[in-house]
Amino acid sequence: MTVRFSLRQLEFFVAVADAGSISGGAERCGASQAGVSLAIRDLERHLGVQLLVRRRAKGAVLTEAGHGLLLDARRLLGSADELQALASATGGQVSGTLAVGCYVTLAPFLIPPVLDEFAGRHPALDVQVTEGAADDLREALLDGRCELAFLYDVDEGSGLSTVPIRTTRPYLILAADHPLAEQESIALAEIAAEPLIMFDVPSARNAARMLADAGLVPRLRHLSSNIEVVRCLVARGVGYSILVQRWPTDVSFEGLPIASRAISDPTQERRAVLAWPTRTRLTRRAQALIDFCVSRDGGS
């Protein structure tokens, strides 16, 4: 069987699909609009299907056939990148491009070592990290825009395989001079009547649910999607908060001390994982990141 299309045509098609327009795709690929448009028309002709609906001044929209081809095109380009990296690798060197997603609240803990320590060990590897919401990152994994993503543990049947890299439990933060700060652990009933400063992201919104499950009614004082605002308000004594990830220092953005204390009530562990699509084969570069994260954090 003779293949009548090129990897460059697939690259143009994927770029246009991601950008939503011929012009945007051409800019991403450093090519002319006319060249990209012609290449995709040739691709459509060789495949015998229409991949894009071109709308003047409204960009380009994928057809049903285009959506069907997109993931396979990404995989084929990824395999080609892997093949080229293997061919040029020396001494087991990992190279190519590794696209990684990271859930926003995990980013401060996981992105710095990935872009510093891991990337430093593999100088021929281009590590590109995108931060985002959990649903957006799952979609990016399933449609091939990311090879791996840092997420909280995902449900079975999601189409994703995972390996645990970090395990934590919810804990309380309160002002350092708060009377309860003298205790090593605090029961939710001891603090529930005080104002709650809630970190307003999906992974942390279970604070109110934890209180409700314990038969307690939270006194919500303030919601913020900025973790440093939450920590600053707590340090000032405006209220307390329940967080999941442990901050490396108990000092707020303003330099005020914060007390971190365990919750004496039963709490459920939260697992951060590296996820990838179940039906895809891991590349050497993806496996290298998995090995790095597991060895660094011990999977816990």
Side-chain angles (χ1 to χ4, degrees):
M1 179 180 177
T2 302
V3 177
R4 300 184 181 278
F5 58 86
S6 67
L7 292 176
R8 187 61 167 165
Q9 288 173 327
L10 292 179
E11 182 184 358
F12 286 160
F13 166 66
V14 171
V16 170
D18 287 344
S21 67
I22 298 292
S23 60
E27 183 177 353
R28 292 187 180 202
C29 295
S32 69
Q33 294 185 42
V36 169
S37 183
L38 179 60
I40 293 178
R41 287 190 186 280
D42 282 344
L43 179 62
E44 291 175 320
R45 180 167 55 84
H46 289 311
L47 295 177
V49 294
Q50 183 178 0
L51 302 173
L52 299 170
V53 176
R54 300 156 178 84
R55 297 173 177 173
R56 187 179 298 275
K58 292 186 178 180
V61 179
L62 288 175
T63 63
E64 184 176 350
H67 280 290
L69 178 66
L70 184 58
L71 178 56
D72 289 332
R74 291 192 200 278
R75 288 174 177 167
L76 188 54
L77 290 171
S79 296
D81 187 40
E82 173 81 348
L83 180 62
Q84 181 172 318
L86 285 170
S88 60
T90 57
Q93 186 181 55
V94 178
S95 59
T97 300
L98 178 61
V100 183
C102 187
Y103 180 52
V104 287
T105 63
L106 292 172
F109 306 95
L110 301 177
I111 289 181
V114 168
L115 290 182
D116 178 20
E117 298 168 37
F118 175 72
R121 294 182 188 180
H122 305 284
L125 182 64
D126 179 17
V127 184
Q128 299 179 354
V129 181
T130 300
E131 300 176 43
D135 289 344
D136 293 338
L137 294 177
R138 292 190 188 103
E139 183 178 335
L141 285 172
L142 294 174
D143 70 15
R145 283 175 288 144
C146 290
E147 282 194 52
L148 298 167
F150 293 104
L151 300 167
Y152 280 107
D153 208 359
V154 295
D155 297 330
E156 292 185 12
S158 64
L160 301 177
S161 296
T162 63
V163 60
I165 59 167
R166 186 183 179 99
T167 302
T168 57
R169 287 186 179 277
Y171 66 101
L172 290 165
I173 60 169
L174 57 161
D177 59 357
H178 192 288
L180 292 176
E182 299 178 359
Q183 304 176 192
E184 291 186 4
S185 64
I186 300 170
L188 293 174
E190 295 180 90
I191 202 164
E194 300 189 22
L196 170 63
I197 312 297
M198 194 160 78
F199 187 25
D200 189 27
V201 295
S203 60
R205 289 179 195 147
N206 60 356
R209 192 179 312 117
M210 288 175 58
L211 293 165
D213 290 345
L216 304 168
V217 178
R219 285 183 55 205
L220 185 60
R221 177 66 178 83
H222 185 70
L223 283 169
S224 178
S225 58
N226 186 323
I227 184 62
E228 290 299 346
V229 171
V230 173
R231 298 178 80 250
C232 282
L233 289 172
V234 168
R236 285 172 171 262
V238 177
Y240 73 97
S241 190
I242 299 175
L243 301 179
V244 176
Q245 294 297 326
R246 288 274 182 176
W247 236 243
T249 59
D250 283 332
V251 178
S252 75
F253 182 76
E254 297 177 308
L256 299 176
I258 297 172
S260 298
R261 296 294 181 264
I263 298 172
S264 59
D265 304 65
T267 57
Q268 185 176 4
E269 287 184 343
R270 296 298 308 276
R271 292 199 310 168
V273 301
L274 255 179
W276 65 93
T278 300
R279 57 180 179 169
T280 63
R281 178 182 63 85
L282 287 171
T283 61
R284 287 180 67 241
R285 55 184 176 263
Q287 188 62 58
L289 180 58
I290 292 172
D291 294 342
F292 167 80
C293 293
V294 170
S295 64
R296 184 177 187 275
D297 293 293
S300 62

